[in-house]
Amino acid sequence: MSAQLPGGFLSAGLHCGIKSNKEKNDLSLFVSEVPAVVAGVFTQNKVCGAPVVVSRERVTQSAARGVVINSGNANACTGSRGLEDAQWMTAQVASQLNCEPQQVLVCSTGIIGHFLPKPVIEKGVPQVVAQLASTEAALEQAARGMMTTDTFPKLLSRQIEIGGKQVTVTGVAKGAAMIAPNMATMLAVIMTDLTLNEQETDMMLRHAVDRSFNCISVDGHTSTSDTVLLFANGKSGATIVTEDEQDLFQLTLNEVARELSTAIIRDAEGADHFVTVDVTGLRTRDEAFLIAKEISESALVKTAIAGADPNWGRIVSAAGYAKVDFDEKSVSLFLNGTKIYEAGMPVEYDESALSNEIRNHRDVHIELQMNLGDEHVRFWTSDLTQEYVRLNSEYTT
Amino acid sequence: MSAQLPGGFLSAGLHCGIKSNKEKNDLSLFVSEVPAVVAGVFTQNKVCGAPVVVSRERVTQSAARGVVINSGNANACTGSRGLEDAQWMTAQVASQLNCEPQQVLVCSTGIIGHFLPKPVIEKGVPQVVAQLASTEAALEQAARGMMTTDTFPKLLSRQIEIGGKQVTVTGVAKGAAMIAPNMATMLAVIMTDLTLNEQETDMMLRHAVDRSFNCISVDGHTSTSDTVLLFANGKSGATIVTEDEQDLFQLTLNEVARELSTAIIRDAEGADHFVTVDVTGLRTRDEAFLIAKEISESALVKTAIAGADPNWGRIVSAAGYAKVDFDEKSVSLFLNGTKIYEAGMPVEYDESALSNEIRNHRDVHIELQMNLGDEHVRFWTSDLTQEYVRLNSEYTT
């Protein structure tokens, strides 16, 4: 994955000392040279990190300057002191950028229940500000500064033309799901140099997140710190005038969000398979979503995929407990394009050929078709392997 | 576990040929000598086995004679032919008992998507009827005829005195959760010789199931065939007159249901720990239930227990996404009696001592306390081990 920053955005990332391994970045900064509109989507968990509380109060606004992110410490379950620390961190950055703390957002990811190591952050902030640059290398360093158990940085760009001007949409993300000991978080920052107002930014981000970050699951465990931010600084000079332009930008934003979120699933630790779940033919998108989520989070479906088993019974029964009203006669199921269940009944097919195909390919496609309507949802998940369990149980606090 | 049948009940179990292993029973029968009241609680899954459809239509009634159960084949996802087969099976038994098919219920558990082997069942039914007896040995044979991946039969009795007469409550159950390849089902049959009317039987069974079978989870995967039946035949001559008598019977029924359901968790394949989850201090029982269920079904909580890790972050964050409104300052957490989280903040404790205690004991107790009300729920679950994943993935259809 490679990417470049949109016009007027700078970034940097470095090791300041939160992580013990000096070769791993733990502090990142994304900055707009001019005040930008920012919107955010945050975890629904009632137990949320202090940075979520602070950043949630600071969206949606039109004078944002950027976001500071640390990894190695989630600053979650840290009470009122954690809240003060998160506010303090934005103030440190604001004083370097000559802006108000309110204009700076904050994200933290890493171990839960420990206070931020303020001295190393205090020393690191001026250094990371000094390294701000618009280069691809600076963007990759920033992407690395967000990583916890990720095995690769996740970043990409898309260019489109709006009103004769080139517009860039660039996103970075971290997350191998909440799978590592005490680690908790999916974070993403998306930036564009398009001109957007606050309402558009918020609305278009929510639309994209509903079709990307809200459609992935490794273990169904909602983290305490999930955050997706969209900054729009208008530097390209382009503005949305026509509906076609709006559609083009929304689709591009959706694509960036989808690529980032599926990169998280591809990086899910311990996983051998990348599974795309399509649920089609429902009366509402919500119904399709509920079914896709239950299939994607069923331990029995996920172990079946790990074992290369085209076990339609587990998939169909997971759909059955999704609290959506249907008759099993409405259901057909395809696995990697092979029909294995039709109108509520098993179908003859070559089981060993299909099993071999699953075993020999990383990508698996589950398609559950109903005939109740036209709504559909695509979801992404990983398989459940012994390695996942080993990674998540061989640790002692 | 040992048990005896209540007055007027007979049972039998044998191998008729559904399972390939001739040493394993696969056909069971529970019969009341006189017409009995029967109530049932069934799976909520939209995809349910044919026997569920048939038995659901036949409760609540007061002229039931019993239930025929086979293992090795769930008769689920078998369409209209499956439905005919389930009805046929009850007719086979009814003709032997000289009663109407409507008076006989049916349960099936085993592989999904295969038609019942009618010839072996046709031959087996007269044999199992011929073996009906009131002995403990006959009850154990019947309990064994329901087993799929269970490693031990699950049966127990309790005796109480009502109106100077001895009343027996006896239950049998099967299930190591929906954990084995294509196996799907938790089944339980509870019998009593107390006199109960239809409304009482239904109400008291639901009350007991809400506090037992609905509070266990191995993998959160609702099966297609779950069934719990309560038969009451009045043979003891005892009737409930006072409220105290009603309470006594309800508590006894609850205890039998709880012992059977926790036996299922103790038998969960691949599990190293038996986990009791108490959630207290909520405004409603539903709120406590939602939180207890999320904690019990979190892969991260369950792998932490497998790894003997007192990982409060995973437990508290699972509570946080249960869709119950609370502030983390309301939450305190005890693990095996040790306070590890208080009023939204971590607490100092001896981590290695607590970890060793979890590692060295099969039973683990999680207690999440809130201060929002007086309602509470107890839930039971198993840990998530590499062995669970191996069992569920090393199989190919």
Side-chain angles (χ1 to χ4, degrees):
Chain A
M1 296 176 103
S2 76
Q4 61 186 85
L5 282 161
F9 282 96
L10 305 168
S11 66
L14 49 71
H15 173 84
C16 76
I18 304 169
K19 291 177 182 165
S20 53
N21 185 338
K22 288 187 179 173
E23 293 184 2
K24 298 206 167 181
N25 287 1
D26 52 20
L27 188 64
S28 297
L29 192 57
F30 299 90
V31 166
S32 172
E33 292 171 328
V34 295
V37 176
V38 65
V41 176
F42 301 92
T43 180
Q44 299 293 308
N45 201 309
K46 295 289 173 190
V47 178
C48 67
V52 169
V53 176
V54 171
S55 293
R56 191 151 45 194
E57 282 175 3
R58 295 180 185 181
V59 295
T60 306
Q61 62 155 299
S62 58
R65 288 297 307 283
V67 56
V68 57
I69 302 180
N70 75 275
S71 56
N73 185 316
N75 190 14
C77 297
T78 45
S80 55
R81 179 169 153 192
L83 210 58
E84 284 163 24
D85 289 352
Q87 287 160 336
W88 167 87
M89 202 165 143
T90 65
Q92 293 292 305
V93 172
S95 79
Q96 295 286 319
L97 298 179
N98 292 315
C99 69
E100 297 297 315
Q102 293 293 332
Q103 295 176 274
V104 180
L105 282 73
V106 58
C107 301
S108 299
T109 175
I111 195 158
I112 294 181
H114 291 254
F115 295 116
L116 283 181
K118 284 169 72 171
V120 298
I121 294 173
E122 187 164 16
K123 213 175 122 205
V125 166
Q127 292 170 357
V128 78
V129 170
Q131 291 184 20
L132 283 170
S134 61
T135 60
E136 180 166 349
L139 183 60
E140 193 189 315
Q141 288 303 316
R144 289 187 180 277
M146 300 160 66
M147 288 164 58
T148 52
T149 57
D150 303 62
T151 63
F152 59 84
K154 297 162 185 73
L155 62 161
L156 88 157
S157 289
R158 288 290 179 270
Q159 258 99 33
I160 50 175
E161 211 182 274
I162 288 184
K165 292 180 173 116
Q166 181 176 285
V167 169
T168 301
V169 184
T170 299
V172 295
K174 66 83 47 174
M178 186 169 168
I179 75 138
N182 274 333
M183 299 296 166
T185 301
M186 184 282 301
L187 298 179
V189 178
I190 306 177
M191 296 158 279
T192 182
D193 45 15
L194 181 66
T195 304
L196 292 173
N197 64 31
E198 295 180 29
Q199 194 197 348
E200 286 167 337
T201 309
D202 187 60
M203 194 187 69
M204 294 177 103
L205 176 62
R206 285 177 194 282
H207 185 91
V209 169
D210 276 346
R211 284 151 183 80
S212 55
F213 297 104
N214 281 346
C215 290
I216 58 173
S217 181
V218 171
D219 46 32
H221 198 110
T222 309
S223 109
T224 55
S225 310
D226 289 343
T227 302
V228 183
L229 301 174
L230 171 60
F231 290 92
N233 70 0
K235 263 283 181 172
S236 66
T239 312
I240 291 173
V241 179
T242 69
E243 227 169 83
D244 279 357
E245 287 167 350
Q246 168 143 352
D247 289 350
L248 175 63
F249 180 75
Q250 181 74 66
L251 286 174
T252 307
L253 183 62
N254 291 358
E255 186 189 342
V256 168
R258 189 176 63 241
E259 291 294 319
L260 291 174
S261 55
T262 54
I264 290 171
I265 296 296
R266 288 199 182 275
D267 202 14
E269 265 182 58
D272 289 335
H273 287 92
F274 173 87
V275 187
T276 303
V277 179
D278 278 318
V279 175
T280 66
L282 272 296
R283 288 155 295 220
T284 65
R285 194 169 183 281
D286 279 355
E287 287 187 339
F289 180 86
L290 286 171
I291 291 173
K293 186 167 190 288
E294 290 293 5
I295 293 171
S296 300
E297 295 184 349
S298 160
L300 288 172
V301 170
K302 290 155 72 85
T303 49
I305 300 294
D309 177 11
N311 192 320
W312 58 264
R314 295 184 183 180
I315 300 170
V316 170
S317 60
Y321 64 73
K323 298 188 167 65
V324 173
D325 192 34
F326 68 86
D327 188 293
E328 63 195 83
K329 292 189 194 109
S330 317
V331 184
S332 296
L333 181 69
F334 295 76
L335 202 55
N336 284 3
T338 300
K339 189 188 288 182
I340 60 174
Y341 188 80
E342 184 172 23
M345 296 277 283
V347 169
E348 292 284 329
Y349 67 97
D350 186 339
E351 290 182 1
S352 74
L354 185 52
S355 177
N356 281 332
E357 192 188 297
I358 296 170
R359 185 171 294 107
N360 298 325
H361 294 86
R362 189 170 176 85
D363 284 26
V364 174
H365 186 214
I366 295 173
E367 184 174 0
L368 189 91
Q369 292 183 352
M370 300 236 191
N371 58 7
L372 306 171
D374 294 325
E375 292 296 326
H376 56 91
V377 157
R378 175 166 283 187
F379 219 94
W380 296 273
T381 189
S382 53
D383 58 354
L384 174 55
T385 64
Q386 293 188 60
E387 180 67 3
Y388 171 94
V389 176
R390 192 189 64 76
L391 284 164
N392 281 285
S393 60
E394 276 195 357
Y395 170 89
T396 300
T397 313
Chain B
M1 297 176 102
S2 76
Q4 61 187 86
L5 282 160
F9 282 97
L10 306 168
S11 66
L14 49 71
H15 172 85
C16 75
I18 303 170
K19 292 177 183 167
S20 52
N21 184 338
K22 290 188 179 173
E23 294 184 0
K24 299 205 167 181
N25 287 3
D26 52 20
L27 188 64
S28 297
L29 192 57
F30 299 89
V31 166
S32 172
E33 292 171 328
V34 296
V37 176
V38 65
V41 176
F42 301 91
T43 180
Q44 298 294 308
N45 202 310
K46 295 289 173 190
V47 178
C48 67
V52 170
V53 176
V54 171
S55 294
R56 192 150 47 194
E57 282 173 4
R58 297 180 184 180
V59 295
T60 305
Q61 61 156 299
S62 58
R65 288 296 306 283
V67 56
V68 58
I69 303 179
N70 75 276
S71 56
N73 185 317
N75 190 15
C77 297
T78 45
S80 54
R81 179 170 154 192
L83 210 57
E84 283 162 24
D85 289 352
Q87 286 160 338
W88 167 88
M89 203 164 143
T90 65
Q92 293 293 304
V93 172
S95 79
Q96 295 287 318
L97 298 179
N98 292 315
C99 68
E100 296 298 313
Q102 294 292 332
Q103 296 176 274
V104 179
L105 283 71
V106 57
C107 303
S108 300
T109 175
I111 195 158
I112 293 181
H114 291 255
F115 296 115
L116 283 181
K118 284 169 71 172
V120 298
I121 294 172
E122 189 164 14
K123 213 175 121 205
V125 165
Q127 293 171 355
V128 77
V129 169
Q131 293 184 17
L132 282 170
S134 61
T135 60
E136 180 166 350
L139 183 60
E140 193 188 315
Q141 288 303 317
R144 289 187 180 277
M146 301 160 65
M147 287 165 59
T148 53
T149 57
D150 303 62
T151 63
F152 58 86
K154 296 162 185 73
L155 62 160
L156 88 159
S157 289
R158 288 288 180 271
Q159 258 99 34
I160 50 174
E161 210 181 276
I162 289 185
K165 294 183 172 110
Q166 182 175 284
V167 170
T168 302
V169 184
T170 299
V172 295
K174 65 82 47 173
M178 188 168 167
I179 75 138
N182 273 333
M183 298 295 165
T185 300
M186 184 281 302
L187 297 179
V189 178
I190 306 177
M191 295 156 280
T192 183
D193 45 15
L194 182 65
T195 303
L196 291 173
N197 65 30
E198 295 179 28
Q199 194 195 348
E200 285 167 336
T201 309
D202 186 62
M203 194 186 71
M204 294 177 105
L205 178 63
R206 286 177 194 283
H207 185 90
V209 168
D210 277 346
R211 284 152 183 78
S212 54
F213 297 104
N214 280 346
C215 290
I216 59 172
S217 181
V218 169
D219 47 31
H221 198 108
T222 309
S223 109
T224 55
S225 311
D226 289 343
T227 301
V228 184
L229 301 175
L230 171 61
F231 289 91
N233 70 0
K235 264 283 182 172
S236 67
T239 312
I240 291 174
V241 178
T242 69
E243 225 169 85
D244 279 356
E245 286 167 350
Q246 168 143 354
D247 288 350
L248 175 63
F249 180 76
Q250 182 73 67
L251 286 174
T252 308
L253 183 63
N254 290 357
E255 186 189 342
V256 168
R258 189 176 63 241
E259 291 294 319
L260 291 174
S261 54
T262 54
I264 290 171
I265 296 295
R266 288 198 183 277
D267 202 16
E269 265 181 57
D272 289 335
H273 287 91
F274 174 86
V275 187
T276 303
V277 179
D278 278 317
V279 175
T280 65
L282 273 296
R283 288 155 295 219
T284 66
R285 194 171 183 278
D286 279 355
E287 287 187 339
F289 180 86
L290 287 170
I291 291 173
K293 186 167 189 289
E294 289 293 5
I295 293 171
S296 300
E297 294 184 350
S298 160
L300 289 172
V301 171
K302 290 154 71 85
T303 49
I305 300 295
D309 178 12
N311 192 320
W312 57 264
R314 295 185 183 179
I315 300 170
V316 171
S317 60
Y321 65 74
K323 298 190 167 64
V324 173
D325 192 34
F326 68 86
D327 188 293
E328 63 195 80
K329 291 188 195 109
S330 316
V331 184
S332 296
L333 181 69
F334 295 75
L335 202 54
N336 284 2
T338 301
K339 189 188 288 181
I340 61 175
Y341 188 81
E342 184 173 24
M345 296 277 283
V347 169
E348 292 285 329
Y349 67 97
D350 186 340
E351 289 183 0
S352 75
L354 185 52
S355 176
N356 280 333
E357 193 188 296
I358 296 171
R359 185 171 295 107
N360 297 327
H361 294 86
R362 189 169 176 88
D363 284 25
V364 174
H365 186 216
I366 295 173
E367 184 175 1
L368 188 91
Q369 291 183 352
M370 300 236 190
N371 57 7
L372 306 171
D374 294 324
E375 292 296 326
H376 56 92
V377 157
R378 173 167 286 186
F379 220 94
W380 297 274
T381 189
S382 53
D383 57 356
L384 174 55
T385 64
Q386 293 187 60
E387 179 66 4
Y388 172 94
V389 175
R390 192 189 65 73
L391 283 165
N392 281 286
S393 61
E394 277 194 358
Y395 169 89
T396 300
T397 313

